[in-house]
Amino acid sequence: MPFTIAIIGRPNVGKSTLFNRLVGQKLALVDDVPGVTRDRREGEAKLFDLNFTIIDTAGLDEGPKGSLTARMQEQTETAIALADALFFVIDARIGLTPADRAFADFARRADKPVLLLANKSEGKHGELGAMESYALGLGDPIQISAEHGEGMGELYDAVSKLVPPTDDEEDEHEETDEERANRPIRVAIVGRPNAGKSTLINHLLGEERLLTSPEAGTTRDSIAVEIEWKGRGFRIFDTAGLRRRSRIEEKLEKLSVADALRAVRFAEVVVLMMDAQNRFEEQDLRIADLIEREGRALVIAVNKWDLMDGNPGQISMLRRDADHWLPQVAGAPIVAVSGLMGEGIDRLMQAIVEAYAVWNRRVPTAALNRWFEGAIADNPPPAVSGRRLKLNYITQTKARPPSFVLFCSRADAIPQSYLRYLTNSMRETFELPGTPVRITLREKANPFAHKRKRPN
């Protein structure tokens, strides 16, 4: 029997949207009206290289015995009984509701592995709702957007720990931490058309595996290849060139670009390839900004370096240019390469490994708050409207990328410039070059807020 996962949660949290994304087809009807799904629906899901059966269910709800709502609930309970694990989905934009808390107890009683998925997590409100979901006691929430395909890489990492290996091994065993650490690093190679992405991958493989041509747009699909470098495995995705949206006219190119964006979301490290003779153009900066927003580790590869004149100091100039044009990922590794001649390939692979390690880094809480106290003492937060801002403490909620929650008063009043100061100071202190750093502001609950003033 294939491994089976049931998607459960209250109505209208995005269960059917997630189901459609995992099966790769719009099998389940989706609408803003709650209760569209009534029967359970099964499909063959594919998440990266994982294959399993997924069951879409009706929203958990209560109703009198014999009613339509009650029969829908019975269908959901049957799906839970058939499943090996559960996806418990909440709406991060709305936050926790009493129904979420009640159904979290229902999920726990099922006595099966439960992955808590905070759907619709894009944007500031989604981040805050995801943080609230810790109160359910179902472990760390996985922040996703089923509609936009965000967070699928993090979901893959969690599901891969549950789905048993598919090959017929006589001595099956549970995957160890060391084996997980040795899993291939997922790398997407992106850039403008004709930057030399396929040529570089062909040199890594040592064969003409991918079509190359001087004509831009040769690559259309995102092609995945497996390579090994110094004993470490890599799964590398070659993608279609990304042009400005205004220049994309053909439907086929639109689909190719969408496929490339999906590759970025599945990747752990993204290599942005630029042409050495036309580097840091507007589209390069837009792609780098997209990678940062997706929360992926970034490595910049300046290709066709063999065509440059070789004047001393050009590498230092690359570093200065990168920090000037891309301050949001200051310190991102930048490597000069030639995909055609094979120059700089080892330096590029080493940069990928190091960027992956930084992307996974966790900072000890004690060291984090020692830094925090020093950073505030060196540069206190400004007073806004004559009132002092109070910053209480900071904690890291997750890695991949390093993400932190800062507890404070008046979160909406803290200037973005002060957050940038904290981010840059953190990068320098804890050696987090290039990787996106997320700081979410959260106001501490006022213990006296429930007390009303007595009438005079």
Side-chain angles (χ1 to χ4, degrees), residues 110-178:
D111 196 25
K112 296 183 177 184
V114 180
L115 297 182
L116 175 60
L117 309 187
N119 192 27
K120 309 178 187 179
S121 286
E122 63 270 27
K124 179 180 177 181
H125 295 296
E127 284 275 344
L128 294 175
M131 295 303 107
E132 279 187 32
S133 63
Y134 278 99
L136 293 176
L138 294 174
D140 294 344
I142 302 170
Q143 299 180 41
I144 68 169
S145 170
E147 183 177 1
H148 301 294
E150 298 177 8
M152 293 297 108
E154 288 75 13
L155 182 59
Y156 167 85
D157 291 333
V159 174
S160 64
K161 299 173 185 177
L162 301 176
V163 177
T166 55
D167 52 342
D168 298 323
E169 296 179 351
E170 292 183 4
D171 298 319
E172 291 189 7
H173 62 280
E174 186 175 346
E175 188 180 37
T176 65
D177 290 339
E178 182 179 357

Side-chain angles (χ1 to χ4, degrees), residues 181-397:
N182 291 329
R183 187 187 299 141
I185 300 174
R186 302 194 299 276
V187 182
I189 312 289
V190 302
R192 289 183 286 120
N194 217 26
K197 301 180 291 295
S198 300
T199 303
L200 174 70
I201 297 176
N202 282 340
H203 200 282
L204 286 170
L205 290 170
E207 60 176 304
E208 293 294 317
R209 166 65 177 80
L210 304 173
L211 289 175
T212 59
S213 169
E215 180 185 350
T218 302
T219 301
R220 288 177 171 173
D221 296 313
S222 294
I223 308 297
V225 296
E226 303 274 356
I227 71 165
E228 187 172 301
W229 180 79
K230 292 188 176 180
R232 185 66 194 261
F234 297 82
R235 186 172 177 84
I236 299 184
F237 290 84
D238 183 29
T239 64
L242 299 174
R243 297 197 297 167
R244 287 205 304 263
R245 185 179 299 177
S246 60
R247 293 189 176 181
I248 299 174
E249 298 177 357
E250 296 182 5
K251 181 180 180 181
L252 181 58
E253 185 176 358
K254 291 180 180 179
L255 294 174
S256 298
V257 169
D259 208 25
L261 297 179
R262 279 194 294 272
V264 170
R265 294 180 181 120
F266 271 112
E268 296 164 319
V269 181
V270 180
V271 176
L272 171 56
M273 290 202 69
M274 302 182 189
D275 189 315
Q277 297 175 310
N278 300 286
R279 56 185 184 265
F280 295 108
E281 293 196 349
E282 181 183 358
Q283 184 65 358
D284 295 325
L285 305 183
R286 289 177 181 271
I287 296 171
D289 193 54
L290 167 71
I291 295 167
E292 192 277 336
R293 291 199 311 270
E294 292 292 340
R296 302 299 174 235
L298 171 65
V299 175
I300 302 170
V302 181
N303 194 26
K304 307 180 184 178
W305 196 251
D306 54 306
L307 301 179
M308 302 300 289
D309 51 23
N311 290 335
Q314 290 211 42
I315 298 296
S316 299
M317 187 183 298
L318 282 181
R319 177 75 274 159
R320 290 194 300 271
D321 288 347
D323 290 342
H324 171 73
W325 291 109
L326 299 171
Q328 70 272 39
V329 283
I334 184 165
V335 184
V337 301
S338 170
L340 185 64
M341 307 301 293
E343 297 173 2
I345 300 297
D346 281 347
R347 292 194 301 272
L348 176 61
M349 299 305 294
Q350 184 61 38
I352 291 172
V353 172
E354 292 173 358
Y356 178 75
V358 172
W359 190 64
N360 282 276
R361 186 165 296 163
R362 280 193 172 272
V363 180
T365 301
L368 186 62
N369 280 283
R370 281 197 300 270
W371 158 80
F372 186 57
E373 292 171 2
I376 294 175
D378 293 342
N379 185 9
V384 178
S385 301
R387 295 171 57 194
R388 185 171 66 92
L389 298 173
K390 186 174 182 181
L391 308 185
N392 301 99
Y393 64 94
I394 190 169
T395 185
Q396 184 171 4
T397 55

Side-chain angles (χ1 to χ4, degrees), residues 60-74 77:
L60 291 166
D61 212 340
E62 296 180 349
K65 187 175 181 180
S67 67
L68 176 61
T69 301
R71 295 199 302 273
M72 291 161 57
Q73 175 84 347
E74 290 171 1
E77 291 173 355

Side-chain angles (χ1 to χ4, degrees), residues 61-91:
D61 212 340
E62 296 180 349
K65 187 175 181 180
S67 67
L68 176 61
T69 301
R71 295 199 302 273
M72 291 161 57
Q73 175 84 347
E74 290 171 1
Q75 288 286 322
T76 299
E77 291 173 355
T78 301
I80 293 173
L82 293 172
D84 300 299
L86 306 177
F87 285 167
F88 187 87
V89 184
I90 68 163
D91 186 333

